[in-house]
Amino acid sequence: MFIAKLKSGKIISILHSSEEVIDELKKKGPFYCPSCKQELILKRGKLKMAHFAHKTTCIIKPEGETESHLLGKKKLFHWLQRQGFHPRLEAYISEFKQRPDLLFKWKERQAVIEFQCSVIPSEEILKRTSTYLKHHFYPIWIIHDSLLRKSSFTIHLNHFISQLIFHKKNKAAIISFHPQNEEFIVYQSIIPFSTNRALTIANKYSFNETFDTIFEIKPRRVNFLPYWITVSESWLIQRSILPGARKNRFLQFLYQRNLHPINLPWEIGIPLPQMHLVETPPFEWQFYIWYFFLYTKNIGTVIQKDELSRCMFHKLNQYVRFRPYPFITAREKFQPFENYVSFLTSLGFFKVMGDKLIVKQKPKLLSNGNIDRKRRKQAYYFKNKERILRFFYLTD
């Protein structure tokens, strides 16, 4: 911490204090946390910048602070100041007992930045986010880039990381900051291919870029489909051969209906925007839509659109799981399913008539799905490349 309270009640900051000033200040203790009221120790070492530390665990923020967190918080404070913002550092909001790293006004709203440099329970992130939103504060989580497990186009999307996703209208991204390198990295177009792994496109920004530039989340026209083909195929094969596959609920559903995953058509498992909202792998939830609303229907069948909603949110609630985002509405949760139905409609399987879908074409299973599989799948995606990518250009 850079902020403390003296016994007199005066609030002091050591953010810009020299070594001499800090040495003099040490004589004026004791110091107290403005949030939890517990006693603080003023520390100044050769390796770690001067800061206040709790003698015991803070009940407001128990995770403590690293050197990276102190440095990042300080640099983000100055970064906002340079752009004309008036940030408050470590401001305690007594109304709901939270102490964000930074508090400032953005587009007529109170916004907070939490710079996360250590792994904490996802439930804690969810709790803080919900609290901020409940009291009309806009929460922005920025993660230290070193906490992200990534390789080329893929990123691990565990419960902790997924709770840090920044949402803005139909856009979503993970915002990371590396204070030592003074670099922001925005991981956008987050497209899960399994429960905890996703494709993503990384954009790097220097410390001189503006807040609005980074958080605008501009789309990039990148053809990620070759990567998608590779990772989605790998997931499907591993799903079928891993130990315990026979007990897998999705595979049991298939086998009980004399279906094999290797013979399911290419239109199942399509990358689409907003899929990160659904924790269930896309191949699985897209199969359920394909199965209940196409494969088991006759040509000419009329389907009310709200039937799809009832099916995905209620009938299949044991099969389809969502990530727990407190700020996502039911309408937004439904968007990935709507995108998939739109894709199937573009292929000619459905015709839209107001709030109804009419089945126009019956789907077919693959014949000998394991033969020449890679080439056949590549050909399918090459043929439908623009049909798939346009969803990202329109929504990102």
Side-chain angles (χ1 to χ4, degrees):
M1 294 177 63
F2 295 110
I3 308 293
K5 182 185 283 189
L6 296 176
K7 198 169 186 178
S8 64
K10 181 182 178 181
I11 300 293
I12 59 171
S13 170
I14 58 170
L15 183 64
H16 303 110
S17 298
S18 65
E19 293 182 0
E20 292 77 14
V21 170
I22 290 171
D23 287 338
E24 282 299 313
L25 191 60
K26 274 190 171 185
K27 303 172 185 177
K28 297 182 180 181
F31 309 101
Y32 300 93
C33 174
S35 307
C36 68
K37 315 303 181 188
Q38 295 185 74
E39 190 171 349
L40 302 174
I41 304 169
L42 177 53
K43 293 184 174 183
R44 183 176 74 81
K46 293 182 179 179
L47 300 178
K48 198 170 184 179
M49 68 177 65
H51 66 285
F52 294 103
H54 284 76
K55 279 191 172 182
T56 58
T57 302
C58 177
I59 60 174
I60 305 298
K61 279 193 171 179
E63 61 262 31
E65 289 192 278
T66 62
E67 173 72 5
S68 287
H69 186 252
L70 292 167
L71 179 62
K73 191 162 53 172
K74 181 178 181 178
K75 289 193 173 184
L76 289 170
F77 176 83
H78 290 141
W79 178 65
L80 289 173
Q81 272 192 331
R82 288 202 309 266
Q83 299 170 66
F85 292 104
H86 302 285
R88 291 174 59 196
L89 184 68
E90 301 169 356
Y92 178 59
I93 308 171
S94 58
E95 182 184 0
F96 50 92
K97 298 180 181 179
Q98 288 293 328
R99 188 183 70 232
D101 292 324
L102 295 164
L103 170 64
F104 64 106
K105 199 168 186 178
W106 179 41
K107 295 184 177 179
E108 304 306 316
R109 291 187 67 179
Q110 291 289 343
V112 299
I113 285 179
E114 294 275 16
F115 180 48
Q116 200 59 40
C117 291
S118 59
V119 177
I120 62 175
S122 58
E123 294 82 7
E124 178 63 23
I125 300 173
L126 181 59
K127 176 185 172 184
R128 291 186 199 174
T129 299
S130 299
T131 301
Y132 286 132
L133 291 170
K134 180 181 177 181
H135 292 86
H136 310 292
F137 285 74
Y138 193 84
I140 299 170
W141 291 87
I142 300 177
I143 186 172
H144 194 296
D145 197 64
S146 64
L147 291 184
L148 296 172
R149 293 174 59 197
K150 53 194 183 294
S151 58
S152 62
F153 273 75
T154 66
I155 191 169
H156 280 254
L157 201 63
N158 57 29
H159 289 159
F160 165 68
I161 299 298
S162 65
Q163 282 300 314
L164 303 180
I165 293 178
F166 173 78
H167 293 85
K168 182 182 178 185
K169 296 182 180 179
N170 288 329
K171 303 170 185 176
I174 297 169
I175 313 293
S176 80
F177 177 54
H178 199 301
Q180 289 83 358
N181 298 345
E182 295 192 338
E183 180 181 68
F184 291 96
I185 305 178
V186 178
Y187 299 89
Q188 63 187 73
S189 296
I190 302 166
I191 316 165
F193 56 88
S194 72
T195 299
N196 54 17
R197 296 189 70 196
L199 284 189
T200 186
I201 298 169
N203 293 328
K204 294 186 177 183
Y205 297 93
S206 76
F207 201 49
N208 295 321
E209 290 289 357
T210 66
F211 181 92
D212 287 339
T213 297
I214 292 170
F215 286 87
E216 188 179 5
I217 314 179
K218 286 185 177 181
R220 284 180 58 194
R221 297 183 70 89
V222 176
N223 180 17
F224 55 82
L225 296 182
Y227 298 93
W228 178 263
I229 292 171
T230 299
V231 296
S232 62
E233 272 298 286
S234 175
W235 175 87
L236 183 62
I237 300 303
Q238 289 181 19
R239 194 66 156 185
S240 304
I241 63 175
L242 283 176
R246 291 183 177 274
K247 296 180 181 179
N248 180 272
R249 182 175 291 174
F250 171 65
L251 295 178
Q252 285 181 345
F253 189 99
L254 292 179
Y255 299 147
Q256 288 167 5
R257 291 158 179 81
N258 295 316
L259 295 170
H260 194 284
I262 211 75
N263 290 326
L264 294 177
W266 308 124
E267 65 262 19
I268 298 174
I270 299 296
L272 293 166
Q274 305 301 94
M275 294 204 309
H276 70 281
L277 300 177
V278 188
E279 189 175 87
T280 301
F283 191 92
E284 295 184 16
W285 64 256
Q286 289 184 15
F287 163 79
Y288 293 126
I289 293 176
W290 175 89
Y291 179 81
F292 285 109
F293 294 94
L294 269 182
Y295 188 69
T296 58
K297 302 295 184 185
N298 296 318
I299 292 177
T301 299
V302 178
I303 303 167
Q304 296 287 340
K305 284 187 177 179
D306 61 3
E307 286 183 46
L308 177 62
S309 176
R310 288 197 301 271
C311 182
M312 302 308 288
F313 290 137
H314 302 290
K315 181 179 179 178
L316 293 175
N317 61 356
Q318 293 184 345
Y319 294 90
V320 180
R321 303 177 307 278
F322 295 88
R323 299 186 195 277
Y325 295 118
F327 41 80
I328 299 299
T329 64
R331 179 70 188 85
E332 290 170 318
K333 266 187 181 180
F334 188 68
Q335 191 62 53
F337 310 140
E338 193 170 80
N339 288 340
Y340 183 54
V341 169
S342 294
F343 174 73
L344 294 176
T345 300
S346 74
L347 293 174
F349 287 111
F350 293 120
K351 180 180 179 180
V352 178
M353 297 269 302
D355 60 352
K356 300 180 180 67
L357 295 172
I358 301 174
V359 177
K360 301 296 291 183
Q361 181 182 328
K362 287 283 286 183
K364 296 178 181 178
L365 296 173
L366 295 178
S367 175
N368 299 316
N370 60 331
I371 296 178
D372 200 16
R373 185 174 177 84
K374 184 176 180 180
R375 184 197 62 79
R376 291 161 69 188
K377 189 167 187 175
Q378 288 173 335
Y380 178 87
Y381 274 83
F382 179 80
K383 178 182 177 181
N384 293 286
K385 172 184 171 183
E386 291 305 318
R387 180 178 276 120
I388 297 171
L389 293 180
R390 73 179 179 85
F391 282 92
F392 293 90
Y393 302 152
L394 290 174
T395 58
D396 274 13

